[in-house]
Amino acid sequence: MIHIRFIAADESAQDIQTNPGHSLMKAAVDAGVRGIEADCGGTLTCATCHVMLDAETAARFPAAVQDERDMLDFAAAPVDSGSRLSCQLMLTPEMDGLVVRLPARQY
Ligand code: FES
């Protein structure tokens, strides 16, 4: 079991527990995290699963592939250097304790 904290734009936090082996998006949706819409279900065609990671957290994941970077152009909220699409972030046991920031909006 791994623990993840989601911090919304208003600084409210949602803590979830999940098992490794699936995406950060799926973990968020399954736990009812507010602020992850994931309209496309993880097929990298919607950009409504946008999250922001600090540099240390971002380094724990493989770099974004070009298709993910291209899709981030369609994110509703401004992107920053730590912006990722959470459907592309696979959770491993080493991800315990992740802290993820949510954008102010996904549409
Ligand atoms: Fe649609 Fe991630 S869920 S791009």
Side-chain angles (χ1 to χ4, degrees), residues 25 29 36-50 71 85-88:
M25 175 278 282
V29 169
I36 297 286
E37 304 300 336
D39 286 354
C40 78
T43 59
L44 200 50
T45 55
C46 76
T48 62
C49 63
H50 179 199
M71 188 52 61
L85 294 177
S86 57
C87 66
Q88 302 302 299

Side-chain angles (χ1 to χ4, degrees), residues 8 10 16 31-32 35 37-38 53 56 60 70 72 74 78 81 87 103:
D10 66 2
I16 71 166
E37 304 300 336
L53 310 178
E56 184 179 325
R60 298 168 74 175
D70 289 347
L72 274 167
F74 296 93
S81 59
C87 66

